[in-house]
Amino acid sequence: MSAFEELGVMPDIIRSLETLDWRLPTDIQAEAIPLILGGGDVLAAAETGSGKTGAFAIPVIQITHETLREASTPKTAPTNVFLMSVDDRDQKLALQNDLVQSRFDGWAGGRATLGVIKGKYYFEATVTDEGLCRVGFSARNASRDLGTDRWGYGFGGTGKKSNTSRFDSFGEPYGKHDTITCYIDLDSEPAVIGFAKNGKDFGPAFTLSKGAASSGWYPAIVLKNAEMRINFGESPMRFPLPGYQPISKAPPAHTTLAGTGPVKAGRKPLSLIIEPSRELAEQTYQAIITFSKLLPPPTLTHTLLVGGVSSAPQLQALKEG
């Protein structure tokens, strides 16, 4: 596997990089690319020649192309897929496939694209880097700071369960390399939410009233300078839970769909890069062309806007898209 592929860069861009003999990412690229691809806000500084242009241009190209491709693709794919939602998350929470990350000193949380309204299901969250974590389930209208209101139920790395900002001792602490199983039983009366660590079941942590159980419960996570890998069941579970199914196996009749943010009809995605000098703008423009030259359709269009030259051709390029 290419070193850039491990960062989440698409193969077509990697082939363009290989024509430049770029085999390994620089330090700034290795740090910035996965965070930007995951939707995070990144502020970085590095010396000249460290690869800063690639660090932001590569993910900008990929995000723009993927958004354009999604907007131009007929929406015939099934929507009953459990993923961490790119819409229902705090800006400081970055997503990259099944990896969820926050490098922010405050808490950043998010929910899955689907919730469950009946059945017995579970998912796993594995700590992949040190930091503070809480995982569990929450309702659609709950705070993303899991466990701080009545509609969110969490279990934290300090060995505390939480709801309505009440933190009570439960189970035992967990940390890097530990896998937490979060399970929910909506068929029992009362419904229950429970947790296990590395296959050791701590039993029910919370009970839900019958009315609350039918409102829809979403896998949820909140992190503070931490990283976790989420498995809804698309990959083999590390610790199968007897009597329960991976939550990705829930049929449509057992799930409820979260809101999404589709691209408005007739409007193409636009990425704007601002450079402090004409020289840097021209350098970045050429890099964008090089990095994107092997992309499949839909084709990206680019234009360079700089001072000191006639504005008429630049304005015309903007009008033509």
Side-chain angles (χ1 to χ4, degrees):
M1 176 182 290
S2 162
F4 281 99
E5 187 176 355
E6 293 180 355
L7 302 181
V9 179
M10 60 192 298
D12 305 285
I13 295 178
I14 293 174
R15 288 192 293 119
S16 296
L17 299 179
E18 289 174 345
T19 66
L20 302 173
D21 203 28
W22 286 22
R23 306 295 176 179
L24 296 173
T26 64
D27 290 343
I28 187 68
Q29 292 166 357
E31 288 286 340
I33 289 174
L35 290 176
I36 299 173
L37 287 177
D41 296 323
V42 177
L43 178 63
E47 62 186 10
T48 300
S50 60
K52 293 190 297 295
T53 301
F56 68 79
I58 290 170
V60 165
I61 292 169
Q62 180 162 326
I63 291 170
T64 305
H65 183 265
E66 290 177 343
T67 306
L68 182 60
R69 183 177 59 191
E70 180 181 352
S72 61
T73 301
K75 302 301 185 289
T76 57
T79 57
N80 195 48
V81 178
F82 277 88
L83 301 167
M84 289 301 297
S85 173
V86 297
D87 299 309
D88 192 5
R89 65 178 175 91
D90 294 322
Q91 290 186 348
K92 301 297 184 181
L93 193 73
L95 309 178
Q96 183 188 353
N97 300 324
D98 59 352
L99 197 65
V100 185
Q101 183 185 78
S102 174
R103 295 307 180 192
F104 179 54
D105 287 337
W107 290 97
R111 275 182 285 269
T113 53
L114 294 171
V116 287
I117 56 176
K118 61 176 64 175
K120 300 170 66 175
Y121 298 104
Y122 73 104
F123 71 95
E124 293 181 339
T126 300
V127 184
T128 51
D129 200 1
E130 299 293 353
L132 297 178
C133 317
R134 285 201 301 274
V135 292
F137 292 89
S138 69
R140 186 71 176 85
N141 61 339
S143 167
R144 295 189 186 116
D145 191 357
L146 180 65
T148 59
D149 63 13
R150 63 178 296 198
W151 301 111
Y153 298 88
F155 175 45
T158 57
K160 303 283 186 180
K161 64 177 184 177
S162 56
N163 174 251
T164 62
S165 291
R166 176 177 174 175
F167 294 82
D168 297 321
S169 295
F170 177 80
E172 58 190 43
Y174 60 88
K176 190 174 182 180
H177 304 309
D178 288 328
T179 295
I180 301 304
T181 301
C182 307
Y183 61 88
I184 187 166
D185 179 358
L186 295 172
D187 291 341
S188 66
E189 180 57 41
V192 298
I193 292 173
F195 304 94
K197 170 187 171 183
N198 299 331
K200 179 181 179 181
D201 190 357
F202 299 134
F206 305 101
T207 59
L208 307 174
S209 67
K210 185 174 183 180
S214 63
S215 63
W217 294 93
Y218 297 77
I221 182 173
V222 63
L223 304 177
K224 184 175 182 180
N225 196 26
E227 180 181 276
M228 300 190 84
R229 191 175 299 279
I230 308 299
N231 184 9
F232 294 123
E234 298 302 327
S235 300
M237 293 300 202
R238 293 186 66 189
F239 303 99
L241 188 63
Y244 290 74
Q245 289 289 320
I247 201 166
S248 67
K249 307 304 181 185
H254 287 196
T255 64
T256 180
L257 184 64
T260 58
V263 177
K264 293 182 179 179
R267 179 166 182 171
K268 296 180 180 179
L270 173 69
S271 297
L272 178 65
I273 299 174
I274 302 175
E275 292 284 11
S277 71
R278 178 173 176 175
E279 179 183 1
L280 286 174
E282 291 173 341
Q283 174 185 314
T284 300
Y285 178 65
Q286 291 302 320
I288 293 286
I289 293 175
T290 300
F291 297 158
S292 61
K293 65 183 180 181
L294 298 180
L295 286 175
T299 303
L300 297 185
T301 57
H302 344 77
T303 191
L304 175 65
L305 307 179
V306 295
V309 298
S310 173
S311 62
Q314 302 181 80
L315 293 175
Q316 184 62 32
L318 286 177
K319 290 180 180 179
E320 294 175 354

